[in-house]
Each structure stands twice: as structure tokens, then as C-alpha cells.
Amino acid sequence: MSVSVTLETPATGKYEQPTGLFINNEFIKGQDGKTFETINPTTEKPICQVHEATEKDVDHAVSVARKTFENTWRHVTPDQRGRYLVKLADLFEENLDLLASIESLDNGKALSMAKIDISLCAGCLRYYGGWADKIHGKVIEMNPETFNYTRQEPLGVCAQIIPWNFPLLMWSWKIGPAIACGNVVILKSAEQTPLGALYAAKLVKEAGFPPGVINIISGFGKIAGAALSAHMDVDKIAFTGSTVVGRQIMKAAAGSNLKKVTLELGGKSPNIVFNDADIDNAISWVNFGIYYNHGQCCCAGSRVYVQEGIYDKFIEAFKARAQKNVVGDPFGADTFQGPQVSQVQYDRIMGYIDAGKKEGAKIEIGGERHGKEGYFIQPTIFSGVSEDMKIMQEEIFGPVCSISKFTTEEDGIRLGNSSTYGLASAVHTSSLNTAIRVSNNLRAGTVWVNQYNMLHHTLPFGGYKESGIGRELGEAALSTYTQTKTVAIRIGDALFG
């Protein structure tokens, strides 16, 4: 099997898709000769085969990255690192239509949403390109006889494992700050969605990055992901995905060389609607909060708490709004919700819907398959959901919303915090005082007020509790890819004679 294949998307026509492992600026075959299929979730049929990275390939990628870091990359100026990232951002914009089409083909997300993703990728890469020459230490005054300062130095070889729900957006979130800080990268894409990451690798070479700085591999978590997590020559691992896998990565990091770890994990985020909220505005954001990206979003507003004074009115209006969401072919001009990413994910979501029915929650709309082909699920609303129900406690990761009512502000805060997760949350109210009080008391890394899912590369993102460790995005992400060195110089006479 070669290291590329000719594919076609409905929006852009034929193009050449890389399928090899991108190591040292070249696409190569895996050393064990293994490949795996990637499936089109719209048709349930194979798109193509890509080369699979095994432990041998991970060792090779780490060796290449280490040599590049020690011999080349650590000597490249911060200004030049920034220029590479800005050039890469420009190339993302130049190739926006194709990159978005690859996302829609491989992931199933609506093309209109995928185009926004790619625009955000370019913004993120450009943002960190701007940061590259602004990462510095401090001079610390202590006394006239010493000169003391700190340096912010790169960690070295960083392994990064990204999920399938936002393949290229997570690619840019991970690579941007790591490269800006002077690290080298080995990034493993999700086995469900390898194509976008590999095409973006072509752009890495075109942007002029030296060989070995950014390496992209396709493979399975239990093999390639596990090898990266436990590798003795990887200095840091960053992971976005489930809390279950996050725990395994922490154990592997601790059991190997105690590498640095950042984790952006699961969520079961509350969307709290007060009596005084603008109900039409709130419903628009609640709809976007749960059904955006087909509900396959770690910060999805899947727990909706509505104050009792507007509960019945809200339910009826929300049902009407959710039924307007166009579910279908991701390349359709009006499509908002495409298929779930895989058969496994489809089955998992339908299992939760069955559990909700059995536990006595009321289905207001949806709850069934959409169409006869593809992994499509109807937008689903459960009402009358109690706190002990499985659909209120566990992350579903699909277009399924659980609604319950609350009485007082204190009650809303208590319910909002009644989860082991703490990734995101939202408050809908016309009172600034209420918004600030509730925001201050919610145990979540992000609180949106009168909006939802409005992420931006300038704003830190990450979780409380079991939703992770560390922060993505913003200036905060830089601290997760650097380490502080203190230099203390004595300029006075000998102290002890």
C-alpha cells in the first residue's frame, strides 16, 4: 500500500490524501506494515486505509523528535518559531474548503460547522505565533550582591493525543502552544478520524518547519497512545478525551519517567435558566449548547435546569426549536446535525436513550434513529429527569438533553454542582447580580452567561474536578509547555571568607 490515495469530497472534488505516518517531514509506511480503515459515518462505508503506528513507530518518532530538539529546534529563535506558525495559519486559510470537506467526510460534521472549525484553527495557530517571542522570565531583586533571574524553557519532546470530535481544531489547540514555547511534537490522531490530521501535516512541510519538529501518527489508543504515555524519552503528554482514558494516561506517566501531564476530559455541563431570562434567547443557546456538533462535545450543555416559573413554557418552546434542526447529509447546505462518528458511538447513545426510557424520564421529542443509512440520531429531549438517573449523571456525548426544574437560586447552584465533572456551565438571566453570584459559585472551568459554546483561542479552557488538569488556550496554555529555571549569580565578595 502506498502512502497516499486519491479521494473525492462532494464539495471540492478529487484530491490527494496522505495515508502514511508523518515523521521527519516525510510520509512513511508503518514498520509492522499494518493499516486500518476509516469509515464514512454518513454512508457507513470505508473511505480508505491508513498506515497504523505501532510501538516501533512511536520509538522512531520519539527518536527523531529528540534529535531534532537537541540539535536543531532549540536553537531556532522565538521570532522564527512564530513565523512558522503564522505561515501554517495562512495555509489553513488558503486550504479552508478542502480541510473542512475532509472533516465532514471523515467525522460527519456539517460542512458549515467544519468551515468555522478551520477558521478557528487558523486563528489559534496565528495567536500562538504571536506569543512565540513574548515568552520570557523575570529579573528578581534580592540584594546588591546577587543577580537573579528566571528563564521559561521548553519541556522538550511533547506527545499529544487528540479526540475525534474536533479533529483539526484539537490539532491546532495542541500544536500551537507547544511549538510557540519551543517544543517538538508527536501527535496521535484519533483512529476514527485520521484524515484531516494527515492532510494538515502536508501543510507543516509547506510552511517550512524543519524535519522532525511536528510529527503526526495514526493509530490506536491501546497501542500507539499507550506507547507514547509510557515512553521514557517523552517529556510531556497532553490528552483530550474521556476521563477513563485520562486516568490510564496519568498512571502510565507516573509509572514511567514521571512526565508532565495535561488532561482535558469529560463533562456533564449544566445549563441553568432563570425565570427572568429572555426565553427566546435562552432557548436558542440551549439548543446550540446541546446539539452543536451532534452533541459530541465535551462541554455540551446536556443538563438543563429550568426555574419552575417558566418550566412548562420553556419545554414547549424548546421542543419547537429543536425540531427545526436540520439532520442529514453533512454536505447539505441547510444541515446542522450530521451523523454520529461511528457505530460504537451510535450504539452507546441509543443505549443511554433506552436507559432514560426505562428509568421513567419522559421523551418530549426524538429518541429514535434518523433515516435508514448512516449513524444518525434524532435530536432528543428528556423532561422530568431526576438527579439519580443515568442520563443525568453520565456523559452521553450525543444529541440527548435532560431537563429538570429548580426552585431557588441556591437550588440551581446545588444542582449545577451535583456532578463529578466540572468542565463548563451556563447561566441565563437578565440580572447581572444573579449572573455574577451564580458564576462565582459554580464549580466549572468555564461559565457562559446568556450564551453557550463560545470558545475562543484567547480564553483559557479546562476543567475542575474529574474534567481534567491544566488549561488549553490563552496565555494559560503556555505554562503547561514550559518549565521555570532559576539562575542565581553572586556578584559580591565571598560570603564565608
Side-chain angles (χ1 to χ4, degrees):
M1 178 181 163
S2 70
V3 292
S4 69
V5 63
T6 301
L7 295 180
E8 185 173 1
T9 81
T12 58
K14 292 184 179 180
Y15 76 99
E16 197 66 17
Q17 171 65 52
T19 57
L21 310 176
F22 186 74
I23 300 174
N24 213 26
N25 269 15
E26 299 295 336
F27 289 101
I28 62 174
K29 297 178 181 181
Q31 293 188 39
D32 287 336
K34 293 183 177 182
T35 63
F36 65 94
E37 283 182 337
T38 182
I39 304 296
N40 183 336
T42 303
T43 64
E44 305 179 41
K45 296 175 182 176
I47 301 172
C48 67
Q49 299 264 346
V50 299
H51 289 271
E52 178 190 344
T54 62
E55 293 91 342
K56 294 176 185 176
D57 302 299
V58 168
D59 285 342
H60 176 50
V62 172
S63 175
V64 165
R66 176 61 65 190
K67 289 175 183 176
T68 300
F69 178 72
E70 298 295 347
N71 299 331
T72 305
W73 188 241
R74 66 186 305 173
H75 306 298
V76 172
T77 66
D79 174 73
Q80 185 58 56
R81 295 200 302 264
R83 290 175 184 272
Y84 287 136
L85 283 170
V86 170
K87 177 60 176 176
L88 185 57
D90 292 342
L91 290 171
F92 264 67
E93 288 179 334
E94 291 172 19
N95 291 271
L96 186 148
D97 288 342
L98 179 54
L99 289 170
S101 296
I102 295 170
E103 292 283 81
S104 295
L105 180 71
D106 203 20
N107 167 277
K109 68 175 61 195
L111 183 61
S112 59
M113 297 291 109
K115 287 182 177 181
I116 295 172
D117 280 7
I118 304 307
S119 179
L120 293 172
C121 290
C124 181
L125 293 168
R126 187 172 290 114
Y127 172 76
Y128 283 110
W131 263 114
D133 61 358
K134 301 169 187 67
I135 301 166
H136 49 72
K138 297 179 180 179
V139 172
I140 301 171
E141 292 289 346
M142 205 168 77
N143 58 56
E145 297 182 330
T146 60
F147 176 59
N148 309 285
Y149 63 92
T150 60
R151 288 170 48 86
Q152 296 302 121
E153 297 187 345
L155 298 172
V157 177
C158 295
Q160 302 176 321
I161 302 174
I162 60 173
W164 46 258
N165 57 336
F166 292 94
L168 282 173
L169 197 55
M170 296 299 101
W171 191 99
S172 65
W173 282 23
K174 291 288 189 289
I175 285 176
I179 295 301
C181 292
N183 300 284
V184 294
V185 166
I186 302 134
L187 182 143
K188 189 196 86 66
S189 61
E191 55 264 31
Q192 298 88 345
T193 53
L195 300 185
L198 291 174
Y199 196 88
K202 283 183 61 175
L203 305 183
V204 167
K205 187 172 183 178
E206 189 175 339
F209 280 91
V213 175
I214 298 176
N215 306 278
I216 310 295
I217 61 175
S218 310
F220 293 90
K222 291 183 178 180
I223 300 172
L228 287 169
S229 302
H231 205 286
M232 293 297 291
D233 203 25
V234 168
D235 298 302
K236 185 256 172 73
I237 186 157
F239 170 74
T240 296
S242 73
T243 299
V244 171
V245 175
R247 293 182 195 277
Q248 295 171 355
I249 286 172
M250 282 196 76
K251 290 178 181 177
S256 52
N257 60 342
L258 212 63
K259 58 179 64 67
K260 306 295 186 293
V261 178
T262 54
L263 305 171
E264 196 263 278
L265 306 176
K268 190 70 176 174
S269 301
N271 218 335
I272 304 171
V273 185
F274 284 87
N275 286 334
D276 65 348
D278 179 327
I279 195 164
D280 292 334
N281 185 69
I283 284 168
S284 175
W285 287 110
V286 169
N287 181 78
F288 188 69
I290 181 58
Y291 298 124
Y292 169 60
N293 206 47
H294 328 158
Q296 298 172 152
C297 189
C298 53
C299 57
S302 54
R303 291 188 294 143
V304 179
Y305 296 107
V306 182
Q307 201 162 16
E308 57 186 358
I310 60 168
Y311 181 82
D312 292 336
K313 180 180 180 182
F314 180 93
I315 293 287
E316 292 306 311
F318 184 32
K319 285 164 56 177
R321 176 62 187 84
Q323 287 171 324
K324 293 179 181 178
N325 294 337
V326 178
V327 182
D329 181 358
F331 289 94
D334 298 325
T335 298
F336 175 71
Q337 180 185 319
Q340 310 310 130
V341 75
S342 66
Q343 183 71 56
V344 169
Q345 187 64 12
Y346 172 88
D347 291 342
R348 183 174 183 270
I349 295 165
M350 293 305 295
Y352 276 108
I353 290 173
D354 289 342
K357 294 175 181 177
K358 290 175 183 176
E359 289 185 317
K362 179 184 177 183
I363 284 193
E364 298 286 350
I365 63 166
E368 303 293 340
R369 181 188 184 102
H370 176 88
K372 296 181 180 179
E373 182 183 60
Y375 308 126
F376 295 92
I377 295 176
Q378 297 172 354
T380 300
I381 298 174
F382 280 102
S383 66
V385 184
S386 62
E387 286 303 293
D388 59 347
M389 289 184 183
K390 191 175 183 180
I391 58 172
M392 191 63 97
Q393 290 297 317
E394 298 183 16
E395 185 177 35
I396 299 173
F397 226 65
V400 181
C401 178
S402 300
I403 304 181
S404 181
K405 68 175 66 174
F406 70 96
T407 53
T408 64
E409 180 179 311
E410 292 74 19
D411 189 35
I413 293 169
R414 178 186 62 80
L415 291 169
N417 288 331
S418 63
S419 172
T420 58
Y421 296 110
L423 187 56
S425 58
V427 182
H428 301 270
T429 176
S430 61
S431 167
L432 181 60
N433 288 344
T434 300
I436 292 173
R437 281 196 307 269
V438 177
S439 297
N440 288 348
N441 283 284
L442 287 172
R443 299 285 296 161
T446 294
V447 182
W448 287 294
V449 177
N450 295 329
Q451 59 177 349
Y452 207 95
N453 276 335
M454 290 291 101
L455 299 165
H456 193 267
H457 47 259
T458 59
L459 300 175
F461 182 72
Y464 284 26
K465 298 187 279 188
E466 293 183 20
S467 286
I469 299 171
R471 291 293 179 269
E472 309 266 11
L473 303 180
E475 183 179 0
L478 302 173
S479 65
T480 69
Y481 286 100
T482 57
Q483 51 196 346
T484 302
K485 175 182 285 181
T486 298
V487 180
I489 304 172
R490 185 159 188 84
I491 56 180
D493 295 333
L495 185 61
F496 299 108

